[in-house]
Structures are given as structure tokens and as C-alpha cells.
Amino acid sequence: DGYWIYKYEVTVAQYRAFCAATGWALPPFPSGHSWKGKAGWADPALQNHPIVNVTWHDATAYAAWAGAQLPTEAQWEKAARGTEGRIYPWGNAWDLAKCANDANSDSKGISTWPVGSFPAGVSWCGAHDMAGNVWEWCADWYDAGYYKTAPTRNPTGPATGTYRVLRGGSWDDGIEYGCRGACRSYNDPGYWGYGFGFRCLSLSPGP
């Protein structure tokens, strides 16, 4: 059913505002790649990049503060693929120039890109970076076989589990396979990594 999803992944500036307002700790600052030589999370050059090194718990805390929520896996995939079931957000043919991926980022010493840097790769509903840049935490527990028996309308994932779902691929490991809209990944909800970020959604348009 209908919902409003963030046009971009949550940025460093947005996450810093959340931490300043709530006292939530900023994530560890990564080193190397595009972060090399930067003055921490406050560096002006990073404010429009997606926040990284966040756990699932960090992402859900931000979403609650923002009056939003993490997308379910099904909501995320609908925004990425549409009712046509596109292979990639932009269509069915792989094009490494339409997203941040290993070929144009990690292998060249680059990490994340400012959100919206690949407008040609936008999804059918106007969501940017749903392929590449950072893997995005989803609300669901992960179960490899869940969709064999899941409800066909508004599935919300299994009731319990060990790992949480990540979708979308990233700058350091998502090329043709990982950047597919249907590709599923997962990790411990307490794990953080420099390829992990998130976006939120709302069931109402807000003020």
C-alpha cells in the first residue's frame, strides 16, 4: 500500500542533527578512501554524504526521532523496482555509471558519494541511490525462505530472527549482482560497517 519514502539516504548532516538533539553517540569515523584527511563527521565536505558505520539500532533510533520508520523489505523493493519489477532502479540493463559501486568507487580509492550524485539512476518513484552508495537497513528480520509463504500484500517479515535485512548494494562491494533491486543481504543488527546506511519512510506525508 502507499507510503512516502525518503528521496535520499540519511545524510551525515541529518544524523548529526539527531545526535545533537538526543545525545545519541555519533558512529565511529571511518578512515581511508574519501574519508582520508577529513576532520571527522563535522567536515563540510561530508555533510551531504550518507551516514555510515550505523547499526540497525542506530537507524531505528533516528527514524523514531524523525517521526518516521525504516522501510520493510517489501516497501524498499517496491520503491526500487516498481510494479514492473525492474532489475535495477533505472531499468533492466546494468550500467555502472548510474550508481556508486566498486568499479567507479572502491577500486578508485573513492567511498561514498554525495546523495543524488547519479540522477540517471533514479528509481521510478524518484528515489535516488537505491542501487549502490550504501547498503540500507530495513525493518525486517531476515529469513531466506520467508517469501515462499509470506502474505502477497504488505508482508512485514518474520516475527523473530537473528539478522536484519540490508538492501541495495554499496560503493565497495555492489556491482552488477549486489545492486539488483531484488538482491537481499543481512547482518547482525548490532553490526556497523562503512558500507552500511539507511533511509526512512512515513505512512503520512507529514506537515
Side-chain angles (χ1 to χ4, degrees), residues 25 45 50 52 81 84 95 159 169 199 204:
V52 296
R81 304 185 71 197
E84 302 170 356
D95 188 339
R199 78 178 72 218
S204 67

Side-chain angles (χ1 to χ4, degrees), residues 88 90 98:
Y88 303 102
W90 55 83
K98 291 183 177 178

Side-chain angles (χ1 to χ4, degrees), residues 42-87:
D43 194 297
L46 295 176
Q47 298 314 295
N48 207 34
H49 284 244
I51 189 68
V52 296
N53 281 357
V54 286
T55 68
W56 182 88
H57 302 294
D58 293 330
T60 54
Y62 174 94
W65 170 78
Q69 61 195 63
L70 293 184
T72 65
E73 191 173 8
Q75 287 169 329
W76 190 97
E77 187 166 329
K78 182 180 180 180
R81 304 185 71 197
T83 56
E84 302 170 356
R86 296 177 180 182
I87 296 175

Side-chain angles (χ1 to χ4, degrees), residues 15 24-31 35 41 51-59 135 137 166 172 186-198:
Y15 199 81
W24 197 271
L26 282 163
F29 188 71
S31 60
W35 300 291
W41 291 122
I51 189 68
V52 296
N53 281 357
V54 286
T55 68
W56 182 88
H57 302 294
D58 293 330
W135 285 100
W137 286 111
L166 291 144
D172 73 327
Y186 59 91
N187 217 305
D188 187 294
Y191 182 83
W192 51 266
Y194 58 20
F196 290 10
F198 66 103

Side-chain angles (χ1 to χ4, degrees), residues 19-183:
C19 291
T22 64
W24 197 271
L26 282 163
F29 188 71
S31 60
H33 291 79
S34 297
W35 300 291
K36 187 176 181 180
K38 299 295 191 299
W41 291 122
D43 194 297
L46 295 176
Q47 298 314 295
N48 207 34
H49 284 244
I51 189 68
V52 296
N53 281 357
V54 286
T55 68
W56 182 88
H57 302 294
D58 293 330
T60 54
Y62 174 94
W65 170 78
Q69 61 195 63
L70 293 184
T72 65
E73 191 173 8
Q75 287 169 329
W76 190 97
E77 187 166 329
K78 182 180 180 180
R81 304 185 71 197
T83 56
E84 302 170 356
R86 296 177 180 182
I87 296 175
Y88 303 102
W90 55 83
N92 293 324
W94 170 244
D95 188 339
L96 62 83
K98 291 183 177 178
C99 65
N101 56 77
D102 178 80
N104 61 19
S105 302
D106 187 24
S107 64
K108 298 182 182 300
I110 300 169
S111 53
T112 57
W113 293 63
V115 296
S117 291
F118 298 87
V122 70
S123 80
W124 68 280
C125 66
H128 290 250
D129 302 311
M130 298 207 78
N133 219 9
V134 292
W135 285 100
E136 300 179 18
W137 286 111
C138 292
D140 308 35
W141 292 107
Y142 176 79
D143 181 340
Y146 173 72
Y147 289 105
K148 293 178 180 178
T149 58
T152 57
R153 187 177 185 87
N154 299 326
T156 57
T160 61
T162 301
Y163 303 109
R164 295 287 185 175
V165 172
L166 291 144
R167 301 294 293 260
S170 76
W171 61 270
D172 73 327
D173 63 354
I175 308 184
E176 195 165 347
Y177 180 82
C179 290
R180 293 177 308 120
C183 184

